[in-house]
């Protein structure tokens, strides 16, 4: 074997080894944040007053979105998209859990959150942090939010991050999905996580 054949053999071996590595990593459409040291979970009351944690949804893919019920566009669009993801999953839709965490607990009462979730899917859960819990949970998820004063004390709006986080059935954060990614792309990622 001459030097050229030997180098060619090494190159082929390297290419095959590298392509083999790539096959182990799923081709997600969302941003892969597997192994991140943030977005590790929560302990918050839901819209029924029951304290919930990520462990409550073991065995399901969980998609978490932060928003508020009086949001005019981003929040209802994102929640409708999440309901569409569940529909696209067919029979696996029951293995998807939508979680909405309000950044406006002053106005988003438990009753209002329950009614809001019913607009999208009765099995989706809304979590309502207290005013003391809100800064911690948003920091834990690296979520931006800010109250923007309106013309009256109750007509304010909330600026907030618009993406969502996807957890696999083992409770590990895996993906960050940018707003407007689309239900089809999100459903494909969830299918990968449910395998």
């Amino acid at each position: 074997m001459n030097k050229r054949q030997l180098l060619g053999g090494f190159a082929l071996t390297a290419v095959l080894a590298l392509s083999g590595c790539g096959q182990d990593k799923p081709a997600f459409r969302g941003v892969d944040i597997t192994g991140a040291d943030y977005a590790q979970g929560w302990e918050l009351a839901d819209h029924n007053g029951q304290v919930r944690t990520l462990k409550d949804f073991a065995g399901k893919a969980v998609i978490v979105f932060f928003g508020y019920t009086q949001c005019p566009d981003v929040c209802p669009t994102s929640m409708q998209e999440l309901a569409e993801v569940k529909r696209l999953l067919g029979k696996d839709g029951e293995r998807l859990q939508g979680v909405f965490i309000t950044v406006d607990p002053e106005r988003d009462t438990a009753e209002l959150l329950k009614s809001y979730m019913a607009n999208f899917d009765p099995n989706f859960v809304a979590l309502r942090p207290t005013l003391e819990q809100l800064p911690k949970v948003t920091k834990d998820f690296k979520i931006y939010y800010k109250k923007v004063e309106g013309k009256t004390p109750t007509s304010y709006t909330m600026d907030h991050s618009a993406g969502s986080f996807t957890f696999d059935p083992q409770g590990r954060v895996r993906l960050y999905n940018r707003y407007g990614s689309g239900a089809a792309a999100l459903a494909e990622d969830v299918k990968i996580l449910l395998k």
Side-chain angles (χ1 to χ4, degrees), residues 39-58:
Q40 297 299 302
W42 63 82
E43 187 173 338
L44 300 169
D46 70 12
H47 56 259
N48 293 314
Q50 179 181 349
V51 174
R52 297 297 198 108
T53 68
L54 184 58
K55 290 178 184 174
D56 292 332
F57 309 111

Side-chain angles (χ1 to χ4, degrees), residues 20-88:
C21 290
Q23 289 175 357
D24 292 338
K25 190 169 184 177
F28 291 121
R29 306 254 183 113
V31 179
D32 189 342
I33 58 170
T34 301
D37 62 353
Y38 58 95
Q40 297 299 302
W42 63 82
E43 187 173 338
L44 300 169
D46 70 12
H47 56 259
N48 293 314
Q50 179 181 349
V51 174
R52 297 297 198 108
T53 68
L54 184 58
K55 290 178 184 174
D56 292 332
F57 309 111
K60 293 184 175 187
V62 178
I63 299 179
V64 177
F65 178 78
F66 286 78
Y68 68 114
T69 63
Q70 296 190 37
C71 177
D73 45 26
V74 171
C75 300
T77 301
S78 296
M79 295 307 295
Q80 186 59 49
E81 188 175 275
L82 190 50
E84 178 64 9
V85 169
K86 186 173 179 178
R87 189 191 68 74
L88 289 171

Side-chain angles (χ1 to χ4, degrees), residues 83-105:
E84 178 64 9
V85 169
K86 186 173 179 178
R87 189 191 68 74
L88 289 171
L89 290 172
K91 62 180 174 59
D92 281 338
E94 293 308 311
R95 296 179 59 208
L96 174 69
Q97 180 62 56
V99 175
F100 178 88
I101 302 178
T102 183
V103 294
D104 187 15

Side-chain angles (χ1 to χ4, degrees), residues 160-193:
H160 63 91
S161 303
S164 62
F165 296 87
T166 304
F167 293 80
D168 66 21
Q170 291 76 40
R172 298 174 298 209
V173 67
R174 299 294 299 276
L175 302 169
Y176 177 78
N177 306 97
R178 293 182 180 95
Y179 172 69
S181 300
L186 192 49
E188 287 304 313
D189 285 348
V190 171
K191 284 178 188 175
I192 293 169
L193 294 176

